[in-house]
Amino acid sequence: MPHFAAGVVRFQNEVFPKKKDLFEKLSHGQSPEALFITCSDSRIETAMITQTDPGELFICRNAGNIVPPHVTHTGGMTASIEFAVAALKVPHIVICGHTECGAMKGAMNPEGLDSLPHVKEWLSYSKAAVDVVKEIAPDASEDERMKMLLEQNVILQIQHLKTHPSVAARLAKGDLVIHGWVYDIKTGDVNAFDEDSARFVPVDKRYSDEIAKLVDSSECA
Ligand SMILES: [Zn+2]
Protein backbone atom coordinates (compact mmCIF):
# COMPACT_ATOMS: atom_id res chain seq x y z
CA MET A 1 0.00 0.00 0.00
CA PRO A 2 1.42 3.46 -0.81
CA HIS A 3 2.48 5.49 2.20
CA PHE A 4 -0.25 8.09 1.53
CA ALA A 5 -3.02 5.44 1.37
CA ALA A 6 -1.86 3.87 4.63
CA GLY A 7 -2.02 7.39 6.05
CA VAL A 8 -5.75 7.61 5.30
CA VAL A 9 -6.39 4.49 7.36
CA ARG A 10 -4.39 5.93 10.24
CA PHE A 11 -6.22 9.27 9.89
CA GLN A 12 -9.59 7.52 10.10
CA ASN A 13 -8.61 5.38 13.08
CA GLU A 14 -6.48 7.75 15.12
CA VAL A 15 -6.83 11.40 14.07
CA PHE A 16 -10.46 11.84 12.99
CA PRO A 17 -12.00 10.56 16.25
CA LYS A 18 -10.06 13.19 18.23
CA LYS A 19 -11.40 16.03 16.05
CA LYS A 20 -14.89 14.65 15.51
CA ASP A 21 -16.61 17.81 16.76
CA LEU A 22 -14.60 19.99 14.38
CA PHE A 23 -15.46 17.83 11.38
CA GLU A 24 -19.14 17.75 12.40
CA LYS A 25 -19.14 21.58 12.53
CA LEU A 26 -17.33 21.81 9.18
CA SER A 27 -19.92 19.56 7.54
CA HIS A 28 -22.35 22.52 7.82
CA GLY A 29 -20.16 25.00 5.94
CA GLN A 30 -16.87 26.87 5.80
CA SER A 31 -15.77 30.33 6.82
CA PRO A 32 -12.02 30.41 6.16
CA GLU A 33 -9.89 33.25 7.53
CA ALA A 34 -7.74 33.46 4.38
CA LEU A 35 -7.33 32.58 0.75
CA PHE A 36 -3.84 31.08 0.81
CA ILE A 37 -2.03 31.00 -2.53
CA THR A 38 1.22 29.08 -2.59
CA CYS A 39 3.41 26.85 -4.76
CA SER A 40 2.57 23.20 -5.48
CA ASP A 41 6.00 22.21 -4.15
CA SER A 42 5.67 19.09 -1.97
CA ARG A 43 7.89 20.59 0.72
CA ILE A 44 5.33 23.22 1.70
CA GLU A 45 2.81 22.01 4.29
CA THR A 46 0.39 24.89 4.77
CA ALA A 47 -1.41 23.54 7.84
CA MET A 48 1.88 22.78 9.58
CA ILE A 49 3.48 26.15 8.80
CA THR A 50 0.45 28.16 9.88
CA GLN A 51 -0.71 25.76 12.60
CA THR A 52 -4.25 25.89 11.28
CA ASP A 53 -7.07 23.38 11.33
CA PRO A 54 -9.27 22.26 8.43
CA GLY A 55 -11.69 25.05 7.56
CA GLU A 56 -9.29 27.92 8.29
CA LEU A 57 -7.48 28.29 4.94
CA PHE A 58 -8.97 28.23 1.44
CA ILE A 59 -5.94 27.04 -0.53
CA CYS A 60 -4.93 27.51 -4.17
CA ARG A 61 -1.65 26.00 -5.28
CA ASN A 62 0.22 26.08 -8.56
CA ALA A 63 3.79 26.08 -9.83
CA GLY A 64 5.32 29.37 -8.70
CA ASN A 65 2.38 30.67 -6.59
CA ILE A 66 1.28 32.66 -9.61
CA VAL A 67 -1.88 34.72 -10.05
CA PRO A 68 -2.44 35.48 -13.73
CA PRO A 69 -3.75 39.02 -14.25
CA HIS A 70 -7.52 39.17 -14.75
CA VAL A 71 -8.73 38.44 -18.28
CA THR A 72 -12.21 37.71 -19.58
CA HIS A 73 -11.72 33.99 -20.16
CA THR A 74 -12.14 31.69 -17.19
CA GLY A 75 -9.27 29.91 -15.48
CA GLY A 76 -8.97 27.85 -12.33
CA MET A 77 -7.21 30.57 -10.38
CA THR A 78 -9.68 33.27 -11.49
CA ALA A 79 -12.68 31.18 -10.46
CA SER A 80 -11.15 30.16 -7.12
CA ILE A 81 -10.19 33.74 -6.27
CA GLU A 82 -13.67 34.98 -7.18
CA PHE A 83 -15.32 32.29 -5.06
CA ALA A 84 -13.08 32.89 -2.03
CA VAL A 85 -13.33 36.68 -2.19
CA ALA A 86 -16.88 37.33 -3.41
CA ALA A 87 -18.74 34.29 -2.02
CA LEU A 88 -16.83 33.17 1.07
CA LYS A 89 -15.74 36.76 1.78
CA VAL A 90 -12.34 35.82 3.20
CA PRO A 91 -10.88 38.78 5.13
CA HIS A 92 -7.27 37.98 4.12
CA ILE A 93 -5.33 36.77 1.08
CA VAL A 94 -1.81 35.42 1.47
CA ILE A 95 0.55 34.87 -1.45
CA CYS A 96 3.36 32.66 -0.19
CA GLY A 97 6.51 31.97 -2.19
CA HIS A 98 9.33 29.75 -0.96
CA THR A 99 13.07 29.11 -1.15
CA GLU A 100 14.45 26.49 -3.55
CA CYS A 101 11.45 27.10 -5.83
CA GLY A 102 11.93 25.12 -9.06
CA ALA A 103 9.39 27.32 -10.82
CA MET A 104 11.34 30.49 -10.02
CA LYS A 105 14.59 28.83 -11.10
CA GLY A 106 12.83 28.07 -14.39
CA ALA A 107 11.54 31.62 -14.68
CA MET A 108 15.09 32.90 -14.24
CA ASN A 109 16.41 30.49 -16.89
CA PRO A 110 13.53 29.92 -19.36
CA GLU A 111 15.90 28.67 -22.09
CA GLY A 112 16.12 25.40 -20.14
CA LEU A 113 12.37 24.84 -20.39
CA ASP A 114 11.99 24.02 -24.08
CA SER A 115 10.84 20.47 -23.32
CA LEU A 116 8.16 21.81 -20.92
CA PRO A 117 6.15 24.20 -23.11
CA HIS A 118 3.26 24.65 -20.66
CA VAL A 119 5.59 25.33 -17.74
CA LYS A 120 7.50 27.82 -19.90
CA GLU A 121 4.31 29.66 -20.88
CA TRP A 122 2.93 29.62 -17.32
CA LEU A 123 6.14 31.11 -15.93
CA SER A 124 5.89 34.04 -18.32
CA TYR A 125 3.49 35.43 -15.67
CA SER A 126 6.63 35.96 -13.57
CA LYS A 127 8.70 37.60 -16.32
CA ALA A 128 8.22 41.13 -14.98
CA ALA A 129 9.70 40.01 -11.63
CA VAL A 130 12.70 38.47 -13.44
CA ASP A 131 13.23 41.69 -15.38
CA VAL A 132 12.97 43.82 -12.21
CA VAL A 133 15.70 41.73 -10.55
CA LYS A 134 17.94 42.00 -13.63
CA GLU A 135 17.46 45.77 -13.58
CA ILE A 136 18.02 46.44 -9.88
CA ALA A 137 20.80 43.89 -9.26
CA PRO A 138 22.74 43.26 -12.47
CA ASP A 139 25.92 42.29 -10.61
CA ALA A 140 24.38 40.21 -7.81
CA SER A 141 25.31 36.56 -7.40
CA GLU A 142 22.96 33.80 -8.57
CA ASP A 143 21.88 33.14 -4.95
CA GLU A 144 21.20 36.81 -4.25
CA ARG A 145 19.24 37.20 -7.47
CA MET A 146 17.15 34.12 -6.66
CA LYS A 147 16.33 35.47 -3.18
CA MET A 148 15.27 38.77 -4.76
CA LEU A 149 13.22 36.99 -7.41
CA LEU A 150 11.24 35.04 -4.79
CA GLU A 151 10.29 38.37 -3.20
CA GLN A 152 9.71 40.27 -6.44
CA ASN A 153 7.51 37.44 -7.73
CA VAL A 154 5.29 37.67 -4.64
CA ILE A 155 5.05 41.46 -5.10
CA LEU A 156 4.19 41.00 -8.80
CA GLN A 157 1.50 38.41 -8.08
CA ILE A 158 -0.05 40.80 -5.51
CA GLN A 159 -0.26 43.38 -8.30
CA HIS A 160 -1.94 40.81 -10.56
CA LEU A 161 -4.34 39.91 -7.76
CA LYS A 162 -5.52 43.52 -7.60
CA THR A 163 -6.63 43.36 -11.26
CA HIS A 164 -9.31 40.81 -10.34
CA PRO A 165 -12.61 42.70 -10.02
CA SER A 166 -13.75 40.83 -6.90
CA VAL A 167 -10.47 41.70 -5.16
CA ALA A 168 -10.47 45.33 -6.35
CA ALA A 169 -14.03 45.79 -5.08
CA ARG A 170 -13.26 44.36 -1.64
CA LEU A 171 -10.09 46.47 -1.37
CA ALA A 172 -12.15 49.55 -2.22
CA LYS A 173 -14.58 48.58 0.53
CA GLY A 174 -11.64 48.26 2.91
CA ASP A 175 -12.40 44.84 4.36
CA LEU A 176 -9.73 42.76 2.62
CA VAL A 177 -6.02 42.61 3.51
CA ILE A 178 -3.38 41.14 1.18
CA HIS A 179 -0.20 39.61 2.58
CA GLY A 180 3.01 38.65 0.73
CA TRP A 181 5.18 35.97 2.32
CA VAL A 182 8.30 33.95 1.53
CA TYR A 183 8.80 30.67 3.40
CA ASP A 184 12.31 29.24 3.89
CA ILE A 185 12.18 25.46 3.53
CA LYS A 186 15.52 24.89 5.26
CA THR A 187 15.08 27.15 8.30
CA GLY A 188 11.30 27.44 8.72
CA ASP A 189 11.60 31.23 8.60
CA VAL A 190 8.72 33.16 7.09
CA ASN A 191 9.33 36.72 5.92
CA ALA A 192 6.38 38.98 5.24
CA PHE A 193 6.18 42.05 3.02
CA ASP A 194 5.96 45.24 5.02
CA GLU A 195 4.35 47.97 2.91
CA ASP A 196 5.65 50.81 5.09
CA SER A 197 9.31 49.92 4.57
CA ALA A 198 8.72 48.13 1.21
CA ARG A 199 10.82 45.23 2.55
CA PHE A 200 10.32 41.65 3.62
CA VAL A 201 10.76 41.30 7.38
CA PRO A 202 10.42 38.33 9.77
CA VAL A 203 6.78 37.46 10.35
CA ASP A 204 6.92 38.14 14.11
CA LYS A 205 8.20 41.68 13.40
CA ARG A 206 5.68 42.31 10.60
CA TYR A 207 2.79 41.36 12.88
CA SER A 208 4.29 42.57 16.19
CA ASP A 209 1.36 44.93 16.89
CA GLU A 210 -1.19 42.17 16.33
CA ILE A 211 0.86 39.70 18.41
CA ALA A 212 1.10 42.23 21.27
CA LYS A 213 -2.70 42.66 21.21
CA LEU A 214 -3.15 38.87 21.39
CA VAL A 215 -0.81 38.66 24.40
CA ASP A 216 -2.64 41.57 26.10
CA SER A 217 -6.05 40.00 25.60
CA SER A 218 -4.87 36.60 26.86
CA GLU A 219 -3.40 38.28 29.97
CA CYS A 220 -6.71 40.07 30.61
CA ALA A 221 -8.69 36.83 30.23
ZN1 LIG B 1 7.90 26.49 -5.87
Side-chain angles (χ1 to χ4, degrees):
M1 196 195 306
H3 186 66
F4 57 80
V8 175
V9 176
R10 207 164 63 245
F11 165 71
Q12 291 170 338
N13 291 334
E14 297 171 22
V15 180
F16 187 91
K18 289 180 191 152
K19 296 209 176 227
K20 215 165 183 289
D21 292 347
L22 171 64
F23 289 112
E24 157 61 23
K25 189 174 146 231
L26 291 175
S27 71
H28 301 289
Q30 62 171 329
S31 182
E33 186 181 24
L35 162 61
F36 198 95
I37 298 168
T38 191
C39 188
S40 301
D41 194 298
S42 64
R43 297 165 293 182
I44 301 169
E45 177 43 69
T46 53
M48 192 183 283
I49 296 170
T50 59
Q51 291 291 293
T52 46
D53 273 329
E56 292 188 66
L57 297 179
F58 188 89
I59 299 169
C60 288
R61 301 182 68 155
N62 62 54
N65 39 274
I66 281 166
V67 177
H70 181 259
V71 287
T72 49
H73 71 253
T74 298
M77 283 302 291
T78 307
S80 301
I81 290 166
E82 185 178 78
F83 183 69
V85 173
L88 295 176
K89 303 215 180 302
V90 291
H92 299 272
I93 302 177
V94 181
I95 297 185
C96 183
H98 69 101
T99 57
E100 298 304 322
C101 183
M104 288 305 102
K105 288 177 185 173
M108 188 77 97
N109 302 292
E111 60 283 355
L113 294 173
D114 287 346
S115 63
L116 301 170
H118 291 291
V119 174
K120 191 172 183 175
E121 191 176 341
W122 177 247
L123 293 179
S124 68
Y125 290 122
S126 295
K127 187 174 186 303
V130 174
D131 289 354
V132 166
V133 172
K134 280 182 187 162
E135 195 61 41
I136 61 177
D139 301 321
S141 69
E142 181 80 15
D143 282 356
E144 285 168 335
R145 282 197 298 153
M146 186 50 62
K147 184 174 181 289
M148 292 170 84
L149 177 58
L150 299 177
E151 296 179 350
Q152 287 298 328
N153 183 55
V154 167
I155 292 169
L156 176 64
Q157 304 314 325
I158 289 175
Q159 289 169 3
H160 292 169
L161 195 54
K162 291 176 180 174
T163 67
H164 288 252
S166 55
V167 174
R170 287 278 311 280
L171 287 173
K173 201 175 163 199
D175 64 351
L176 178 67
V177 182
I178 299 176
H179 310 255
W181 291 2
V182 175
Y183 165 61
D184 189 315
I185 286 176
K186 192 174 174 186
T187 64
D189 290 337
V190 175
N191 287 332
F193 187 62
D194 174 50
E195 284 200 1
D196 294 341
S197 62
R199 295 180 61 186
F200 281 77
V201 298
V203 79
D204 55 338
K205 292 207 168 50
R206 167 66 182 77
Y207 299 101
S208 56
D209 291 350
E210 287 92 333
I211 292 168
K213 272 183 216 153
L214 280 176
V215 172
D216 283 351
S217 61
S218 67
E219 279 172 357
C220 294

